[in-house]
Amino acid sequence: MPLNRRTFLESSVAVGAGAALATGVAAPAEAHGRRPKPAKRYSFTVMGTTDLHGNVFNWDYFTDKEFDDKAHNDIGLAKISTLVDQVREEKGRCNTLLIDAGDTIQGTQLSYYYAKVDPITARRGPVHPMAQAMNAIGYDAAALGNHEFNYGIPVLRKFEEQCDFPLLGANALDAKTLRPAFAPYSMHRLRTPHGKDVKVAVLGLTNPGIAIWDKANVQGKMVFPGLEEQAAKWVPKLRSMGADVVVVSAHSGSSGTSSYGDQLPHIENAAGLVAEQVPGIDAILVGHAHTEIPEYRVKNKETGKDVVLSEPLKWGQRLTTFDFDLVWEKGRWVVEKVGAQVLNSNTVAEDPQITGLLADEHKKVVAYVNQVIGTSTASMTTADAPWKDEPIIDLINVVQTETVKAALAGGAHAALPVLSQASCFSRTARIPAGEITIKDAAGLYPFENTMEARLLTGAQLKDYLEYSARYYVQTAAGAPVDTAKLTNAGGTPDYNYDAVSGLTYEIDIAKPAGSRIVSLSFEGKPLDPAAQFVLAVNNYRASGGGAFPHVANAPQLWANSDEIRNTIIQWVKAKGTVDPGLFASVDWKLTRDGVPVF
């Protein structure tokens, strides 16, 4: 991989002339009794977003209407732009920086359209809407997220080229040279009213899980060492280069956990560990985990100083502000105080400059998602899918099963039975009775996952199902069942609960996790532990996402580069009419002591 063309080892970005007032905390009195000079002070603000996932407008392309949720949050860069303008107005633009912590170009049909339908990589192709919006708002730097790699490195490089700010990734290295494949950091110079500039370094760190989740796109091209290791390498360099303040933009949660088990020696959510283990960091903008952390302080083990962490909520729902107070001591600027908070984008209107800038792109995508691809004889919804075997999830599984069977036909494994896994990605997805549009299918499968076929035994499949069933909260027989409290045990997200079609089984939620799968059978007979099966599985799960047992190391029989979502769309187009009566079946159910819960 070629290095980022922007030089990053000696460059600095002049942000402008500052205009902060010196405040008067008195210095010690001199022996001559002269009036002590007031200390030189300066304050500035670093604003941050993360996990924007292709959201510019306060719009849900899957429902084709304005975004809304139970908390009445708003989303999108157009809202963020208004908040940013307010902060710049209050603080003085020259006393602010704006950064992002990654996952920018994947997640909505707007971002998908300009990666796949009208790709930015085409000759004389368009400028990516996220690049246009972020350039107009005036971002100073952005860390790479793992989803930046979903569409392949050429799309990412084109996006990088279109951005007026650097994409940072100190732990994204060229696989051959082990040199940085992107700029590790950016340096920004803030001019103060005291004639002494403040140098702010922004170090970008991305997620090691890219090596697993996007193996097909990065293997042999890039490697992704741990965040702690690379921060320990770069922070001292930044300090030696004269950085007065070091801010880390990390596409990594703060929990210290990983979803890919022991497949990599590096931690997925390592931001808290970086703060604890690496001295010299003042603040960390946290991303990846899709949680809201207004302010979280971690004490560095070596220095004993607090490092301030903050994670704004995803999709542009929040804007983090880090406020820094500095004092001039012994010939240099010293951070005296740091505080963080988040601002809610539902308190402001969309910036008309941003919505106007991308109005045409928005209209194109709305027209695209409303294309009719077929009809359905009945309405299907995911509302109850987390606890019932619903026809809408069966639709995913029948498409995957038929696709894999066709791919293996005539080969060595053609005679093996094909099973399929699917998750409820959204509890609001629906296929209406009547016309089906692209947005309906896209809402059912919002991720750009591709499909694989893996070879598993009956015993391995039982382990797989037991692991999946930990999703349910243990509920004693006879105790009331509240669906609002039944799922997501241990923080397990909906997308890490798999239903497997082709087998029949019960999940006894009265039993502890690990011993819940009962009456497991295939074609009416108890499942043979030694029997071999083909599992149609998405690439995220096959590569270790969710740390499900066996599947990541199972033999790969086939893989496809087309998104499962597109496979569903093409299947519906080919059928013309979707009739749940032809494929829906109840393969699994929740029970307690053999009694069905529903």
Side-chain angles (χ1 to χ4, degrees):
M1 278 300 105
L3 291 175
N4 187 293
R5 292 173 301 165
R6 299 179 180 84
T7 56
F8 52 82
L9 291 176
E10 293 157 359
S11 64
S12 64
V13 180
V15 175
L21 296 175
T23 57
V25 174
E30 296 182 6
H32 301 292
R34 293 176 186 163
R35 191 175 200 141
K37 293 182 180 179
K40 296 175 182 177
R41 297 184 183 277
Y42 177 67
S43 298
F44 71 95
T45 297
V46 176
M47 297 173 282
T49 55
T50 191
D51 297 282
L52 292 167
H53 283 288
N55 286 286
V56 174
F57 297 84
N58 186 39
W59 193 261
D60 185 343
Y61 292 98
F62 297 141
T63 61
D64 198 25
K65 61 184 179 182
E66 185 174 305
F67 176 87
D68 195 23
D69 62 12
K70 291 180 180 178
H72 300 298
N73 287 303
D74 287 345
I75 61 174
L77 277 169
K79 291 268 185 173
I80 290 295
S81 183
T82 303
L83 289 175
V84 167
D85 283 347
Q86 290 181 351
V87 174
R88 286 172 174 164
E89 178 70 23
E90 177 188 352
K91 308 287 185 178
R93 177 164 185 153
C94 47
N95 302 317
T96 65
L97 294 171
L98 175 59
I99 64 176
D100 183 79
D103 275 6
T104 305
I105 59 172
Q106 175 277 337
T108 64
Q109 287 295 285
L110 180 70
S111 54
Y112 177 83
Y113 187 89
Y114 288 98
K116 292 288 190 177
V117 182
D118 185 11
I120 60 173
T121 49
R123 189 168 177 263
R124 298 179 181 175
V127 177
H128 199 288
M130 294 301 286
Q132 291 191 59
M134 295 174 82
N135 289 343
I137 295 169
Y139 273 78
D140 295 289
L144 293 163
N146 55 284
H147 284 289
E148 260 65 83
F149 294 84
N150 285 174
Y151 297 119
I153 292 173
V155 170
L156 174 54
R157 286 297 187 192
K158 188 64 178 180
F159 174 71
E160 178 188 29
E161 180 185 310
Q162 292 176 343
C163 291
D164 294 341
F165 51 90
L167 300 183
L168 308 178
N171 61 328
L173 309 182
D174 181 274
K176 294 180 180 177
T177 66
L178 297 184
R179 297 179 63 191
F182 295 84
Y185 67 88
S186 58
M187 193 75 79
H188 308 266
R189 191 180 295 273
L190 301 174
R191 292 178 183 164
T192 77
H194 307 293
K196 308 292 185 181
D197 292 351
V198 173
K199 290 179 72 176
V200 182
V202 178
L203 178 67
L205 296 170
T206 192
N207 206 289
I210 295 165
I212 290 177
W213 305 321
D214 269 301
K215 182 178 180 180
N217 290 328
V218 301
Q219 189 173 32
K221 299 174 183 177
M222 294 185 193
V223 294
F224 303 88
L227 284 83
E228 309 99 304
E229 168 195 329
Q230 293 301 301
K233 172 183 176 180
W234 283 102
V235 171
K237 288 185 179 182
L238 297 174
R239 289 293 184 181
S240 70
M241 290 165 59
D244 301 296
V245 180
V246 174
V247 178
V248 173
S249 183
H251 193 75
S252 180
S254 62
S255 65
T257 61
S258 288
S259 68
Y260 42 70
D262 58 0
Q263 293 181 76
L264 286 178
H266 316 301
I267 299 297
E268 176 182 351
N269 295 303
L273 297 174
V274 171
E276 184 181 76
Q277 297 176 12
V278 181
I281 298 170
D282 296 297
I284 301 179
L285 177 66
V286 179
H288 182 62
H290 288 204
T291 57
E292 181 177 341
I293 305 174
E295 182 184 89
Y296 174 47
R297 293 178 177 269
V298 175
K299 196 170 292 296
N300 183 266
K301 285 184 175 180
E302 184 172 324
T303 65
K305 294 182 178 179
D306 281 354
V307 181
V308 177
L309 284 68
S310 181
E311 181 176 6
L313 200 57
K314 64 185 185 298
W315 305 347
Q317 295 178 56
R318 303 288 186 274
L319 174 72
T320 279
T321 60
F322 293 101
D323 292 312
F324 292 85
D325 293 332
L326 277 60
V327 62
W328 183 261
E329 288 183 355
K330 299 178 181 178
R332 67 187 184 97
W333 287 108
V334 176
V335 175
E336 193 173 46
K337 188 173 72 170
V338 185
Q341 62 176 331
V342 294
L343 306 179
N344 195 329
S345 63
N346 73 4
T347 62
V348 297
E350 290 184 308
D351 183 345
Q353 179 192 355
I354 303 302
T355 56
L357 178 68
L358 293 164
D360 289 343
E361 288 84 347
H362 176 66
K363 289 176 183 177
K364 285 182 182 178
V365 176
V366 168
Y368 166 74
V369 300
N370 280 289
Q371 290 180 37
V372 175
I373 56 174
T375 60
S376 176
T377 62
S379 175
M380 296 178 280
T381 174
T382 55
D384 293 334
W387 48 84
K388 290 182 182 179
D389 188 348
E390 290 286 280
I392 196 168
I393 304 299
D394 292 337
L395 173 60
I396 299 173
N397 278 325
V398 73
V399 171
Q400 294 184 161
T401 299
E402 290 186 5
T403 302
V404 168
K405 282 182 177 178
L408 298 181
H413 300 92
L416 291 178
V418 177
L419 314 178
S420 175
Q421 64 79 222
S423 303
C424 176
F425 295 118
S426 167
R427 298 192 183 194
T428 58
R430 63 183 294 271
I431 300 294
E435 291 184 339
I436 304 173
T437 63
I438 285 177
K439 74 172 184 287
D440 298 323
L444 176 59
Y445 214 110
F447 296 106
E448 275 76 42
N449 293 340
T450 58
M451 202 186 319
E452 298 190 16
R454 296 286 178 125
L455 184 66
L456 294 171
T457 66
Q460 290 175 326
L461 285 163
K462 186 177 188 299
D463 291 343
Y464 188 100
L465 290 171
E466 287 285 9
Y467 183 85
S468 184
R470 70 196 178 111
Y471 170 73
Y472 295 104
V473 174
Q474 187 173 1
T475 309
V481 175
D482 181 357
T483 55
K485 301 176 181 179
L486 178 62
T487 62
N488 308 103
T492 303
D494 290 350
Y495 61 77
N496 274 342
Y497 169 66
D498 286 359
V500 174
S501 69
L503 301 174
T504 56
Y505 56 98
E506 298 175 6
I507 302 173
D508 191 333
I509 60 172
K511 295 181 178 180
S515 59
R516 290 177 170 174
I517 302 300
V518 295
S519 303
L520 178 58
S521 63
F522 173 68
E523 294 184 340
K525 298 178 181 179
L527 185 68
D528 180 358
Q532 290 189 318
F533 297 87
V534 178
L535 181 66
V537 60
N538 68 52
N539 67 303
Y540 173 77
R541 188 70 76 238
S543 62
F548 276 61
H550 307 305
V551 67
N553 295 319
Q556 183 192 76
L557 306 182
W558 172 83
N560 188 10
S561 61
D562 197 19
E563 291 93 350
I564 294 171
R565 174 172 58 209
N566 281 344
T567 304
I568 295 172
I569 290 169
Q570 295 306 317
W571 187 90
V572 172
K573 282 183 176 180
K575 295 290 183 183
T577 300
V578 175
D579 182 357
L582 299 178
F583 58 79
S585 62
V586 178
D587 296 322
W588 63 272
K589 58 187 173 183
L590 301 185
T591 61
R592 290 182 294 183
D593 294 341
V595 179
V597 176
F598 301 105

